[in-house]
Amino acid sequence: MKEVAAATKAAAARPPEHAQSLEGGGSHHKVSVSPVVHVRGLCESVVEADLVEALEKFGTICYVMMMPFKRQALVEFENIDSAKECVTFAADEPVYIAGQQAFFNYSTSKRITRPGNTDDPSGGNKVLLLSIQNPLYPITVDVLYTVCNPVGKVQRIVIFKRNGIQAMVEFESVLCAQKAKAALNGADIYAGCCTLKIEYARPTRLNVIRNDNDSWDYTKPYLGRRDRGKGRQRQAILGDHPSSFRHDGYGSHGPLLPLPSRYRMGSRDTPELVAYPLPQASSSYMHGGSPSGSVVMVSGLHQLKMNCSRVFNLFCLYGNIEKVKFMKTIPGTALVEMGDEYAVERAVTHLNNVKLFGKRLNVCVSKQHSVVPSQIFELEDGTSSYKDFAMSKNNRFTSAGQASKNIIQPPSCVLHYYNVPLCVTEETFTKLCNDHEVLPFIKYKVFDAKASAKTLSGLLEWKCKTDAVEALTALNHYQIRVPNGSNPYTLKLCFSTSSHL
């Protein structure tokens, strides 16, 4: 992804007056001419098909790379003259994409790097690689099938969880894959989260051994399957609103994604609007073999350095925390009651096998349905083995609006900090690390704040992921007091979408 980093870095490095002139379209000559155009100012709902539809009048488009969280994209034209025509035209007249004016400049890259062996500019592969960004809800083969199949016939799906959640989807033909990439790249599966970033995959065919929640061969429906029972209640609710999701306020209806006519299947039965199913408590995720429950069991906790508050500091990134209790009979093990089973799924996905204070965490779903405050004792650091966090203001998923602001990320070596007073400096963070006996960061960045801002935010990078996890566990929710200030500021930390500064 060198071109993404280069384009983003170039945009970030521009002085304010340059950025202003760019938005007016008048400074495209300051970057050398390239067949790759950097598009900024996109609205949240833009998908690849919108870009192609708006820009193909300038010439043939070879490849599109979406950057949904940045509201940006890279568009590679077949020849440099088409790119010049696009940027020059946008400098004089507004170009609208999905109803919103976008801004154009040449990219610092001369070509968008294709993943794997996709040297064919049109993408000669029927297998797509889907990266699900900010996966607030569980992603299963049912969900991806419901999303993808209306655009092109799906044959096989494989989901894997190494760096976040990714999936490979094999379509019936290359044409189906091309249509799906164009129609869905940059779209949200659920409103404000589970954003799809789609590229062509390396494999040209998927090998599915077993049909379950993480893999399915639709050409062999009975392949090594378990008893389906209630487990395959696929909701391909095309054109209808699904029923309301649960009772805790996480939205009511699935977002409707209009598919451009050229990307729809030929069937008369396929509607123009695809309603994605909202996550249901009775979905296949809950019945297809994964145990339900809102309690996780965490073992491998350092007995001297971990307590209830530090467990909260780490697990609150993936859902609300109700209670934390260390087990007296099993040292270094705690039960964490979370807000719902989806929070448990996120915690298990992202924190299992993570190293913390020299030990490797084992995070799994507990058979317990709730945490009961029994056998309370004193931990090594003198704090209680049980703590109730149900009313904590530091829970980050207390409403649908608050939940949608959280970026669900796997642990990384870069932390995003926010809600710190204006007087905080790099030296302040260095002292915090020393005081809490965690390794210091190697890079520090503060974001430009508005004149009216009362707090600061920025990024901190550590040498490795383990160091960053330990720092977050120790420093998250630290109370920063300001001289002559009435109330302290609560330092908020989370894992960043950036891999390096």
Side-chain angles (χ1 to χ4, degrees), residues 281-332:
S282 59
S283 71
S284 63
Y285 163 68
M286 298 309 303
H287 298 289
S290 297
S292 62
S294 57
V295 178
V296 291
M297 183 167 71
V298 192
S299 58
L301 296 169
H302 195 290
Q303 294 183 55
L304 297 176
K305 297 186 177 182
M306 291 301 292
N307 56 32
C308 293
S309 294
R310 287 191 168 186
V311 171
F312 174 88
N313 288 346
L314 182 58
F315 278 77
C316 73
L317 272 58
Y318 302 105
N320 288 334
I321 307 298
E322 300 287 331
K323 304 163 191 170
V324 177
K325 183 180 83 169
F326 278 76
M327 301 175 70
K328 190 171 186 178
T329 54
I330 312 176

Side-chain angles (χ1 to χ4, degrees), residues 211 216 221-222 225-234 287-288:
N211 286 345
W216 202 275
Y222 301 105
R225 67 180 181 87
R226 299 171 183 171
D227 183 16
R228 290 171 72 162
K230 297 186 243 179
R232 295 286 304 172
Q233 298 176 354
R234 178 178 301 127
H287 298 289

Side-chain angles (χ1 to χ4, degrees), residues 124-139:
N125 193 357
K126 63 178 182 176
V127 180
L128 297 181
L129 172 64
L130 281 60
S131 298
I132 294 87
Q133 301 178 330
N134 195 19
L136 194 60
Y137 300 114
I139 301 299

Side-chain angles (χ1 to χ4, degrees), residues 227-259:
D227 183 16
R228 290 171 72 162
K230 297 186 243 179
R232 295 286 304 172
Q233 298 176 354
R234 178 178 301 127
Q235 297 187 9
I237 315 174
L238 306 178
D240 284 335
H241 290 294
S243 59
S244 296
F245 166 55
R246 293 170 57 83
H247 52 76
D248 49 12
Y250 283 114
S252 56
H253 297 295
L256 293 174
L257 173 68
L259 298 178

